[in-house]
Amino acid sequence: MRYRTIAHTVVSAIGLGAMPLSIEHRPDETRAIATVHAALDAGVTLIDTADSYHWHAGEAGHNELLIARALARYGGDTSHVLVATKGGRGRPGDGSWTVTATPARLKRAAEASAKRLDVDAIGLYQLHKPDPTVPWAESVGALRELLDAGTIRAAGISNVTTAQIRQAHQILGDGLVSVQNQYSPAVRDSEPELQLSERLGLAFLPWSPLGGISRSSLDGPSRPTSAGTAFHRIAAERDVSPQRIALAWLLARSPAVIPVPGASRPASITDSARAVELTLNTQELAELEDVRPG
């Protein structure tokens, strides 16, 4: 495994996106825990979760509880594993996602997440999505209060614009350590946010990093994956999976990038973790630059 940093915390250059272990069509718990253990065996030390990663109504925190059980049952040392969770979204159980990022809701959610994860303080707590009904400064202010109270050790923001990153940085200072936006071979709209994150010394955690290469847990049946792109051709030449090429491409975009690919099978995260072994050459990177799968 190779490593990158989130503020002063060293983490694996590839993380585990744990959402597929708890939402629609999730695996049984035995396979879910085996997937987390496979990630740890591969050297993954960053696990991304959220209180809204669940399927049915009334089971908020399903993924956080699952991660806590998986870590507790792992035979090795997990003290170096950073569990990053998020708050501000909900799932009523009908397949939809809601957004509620009032300060009171965020503070209650963070306290509940800490209990589910069985930690004194959350290593990285991320505001899941801006709430259009709440002033951004108020939502971010709740993160400031959580930092000051010691409920969380570091703060992140997700699904944000460059203006929101700048404002959050002004409010949180060194307490803001990460940005998590959608970014992948197929979706590159957050290039400005990635560049700003790098300039500010923030980690950039792409969600759905395999977009266009593998089906995301959020993709519907009408969005098949691509085939025959430069990602697939280079994968064939290298005798590796296209997913591994996509993750290697992301790592080459910026030293701030730490992809968190989702997985619901041990084999998937084991393959993803091996992306750190790949170094794409100049010609390969040039060929992939303008490819937009999907």
Side-chain angles (χ1 to χ4, degrees):
M1 180 54 67
R2 295 181 182 175
Y3 299 90
R4 293 192 168 180
T5 58
I6 301 179
H8 301 297
T9 301
V10 177
V11 298
S12 54
I14 299 289
L16 169 65
M19 182 176 71
L21 302 177
S22 289
I23 65 166
E24 288 83 340
H25 313 299
R26 64 195 180 201
D28 61 38
E29 181 158 319
T30 298
R31 194 176 90 184
I33 289 179
T35 300
V36 177
H37 288 177
L40 299 173
D41 289 343
V44 171
T45 62
L46 171 64
I47 300 176
D48 181 75
T49 181
D51 61 1
S52 58
Y53 290 169
H54 61 89
W55 186 350
H56 307 292
E59 58 173 20
H62 181 281
N63 199 242
E64 293 172 324
L65 290 168
L66 175 68
I67 296 306
R69 287 195 295 273
L71 291 174
R73 297 177 190 176
Y74 187 64
D77 178 22
T78 60
S79 61
H80 58 298
V81 176
L82 175 63
V83 177
T85 191
K86 296 180 285 293
R89 302 204 74 177
R91 300 208 75 195
D94 60 359
S96 66
W97 297 75
T98 61
V99 181
T100 308
T102 62
R105 164 69 186 277
L106 288 171
K107 286 184 279 189
R108 287 196 305 270
E111 291 165 359
S113 290
K115 289 180 181 178
R116 286 189 289 264
L117 293 170
D118 194 23
V119 295
D120 295 328
I122 296 170
L124 172 56
Y125 191 71
Q126 303 159 98
L127 200 165
H128 207 152
K129 189 174 184 179
D131 185 337
T133 69
V134 179
W136 179 239
E138 291 184 13
S139 294
V140 176
L143 298 181
R144 177 74 269 169
E145 292 183 35
L146 288 166
L147 284 165
D148 293 341
T151 308
I152 67 176
R153 292 196 177 95
I157 51 178
S158 183
N159 299 299
V160 288
T161 65
T162 54
Q164 289 167 331
I165 294 172
R166 290 190 180 95
Q167 188 174 10
H169 190 251
Q170 291 176 344
I171 295 169
L172 298 172
D174 292 341
L176 179 66
V177 301
S178 66
V179 170
Q180 185 167 172
N181 278 14
Q182 185 175 18
Y183 191 83
S184 69
V187 181
R188 307 186 191 182
D189 298 343
S190 280
E191 189 71 38
E193 288 74 24
L194 166 56
Q195 294 177 6
L196 177 59
S197 296
E198 183 177 345
R199 290 198 298 273
L200 294 176
L202 308 175
F204 186 86
L205 315 179
W207 64 262
S208 195
L210 299 176
I213 304 299
S214 285
R215 183 180 302 280
S216 166
S217 296
L218 296 176
D219 286 344
S222 62
R223 295 188 60 189
T225 57
S226 301
T229 70
F231 285 89
H232 298 81
R233 180 179 53 75
I234 292 171
E237 292 172 354
R238 292 275 197 143
D239 194 25
V240 299
S241 68
Q243 292 83 355
R244 213 185 293 184
I245 295 295
L247 292 169
W249 172 80
L250 282 165
L251 291 171
R253 302 298 285 177
S254 165
V257 170
I258 305 173
V260 286
S264 61
R265 298 181 298 114
S268 297
I269 188 57
T270 299
D271 182 72
S272 291
R274 295 193 63 188
V276 300
E277 302 169 4
L278 284 176
T279 300
L280 299 172
N281 61 43
T282 302
Q283 180 179 341
E284 290 170 331
L285 289 171
E287 292 175 15
L288 297 173
E289 180 65 29
D290 294 324
V291 175
R292 296 292 195 276

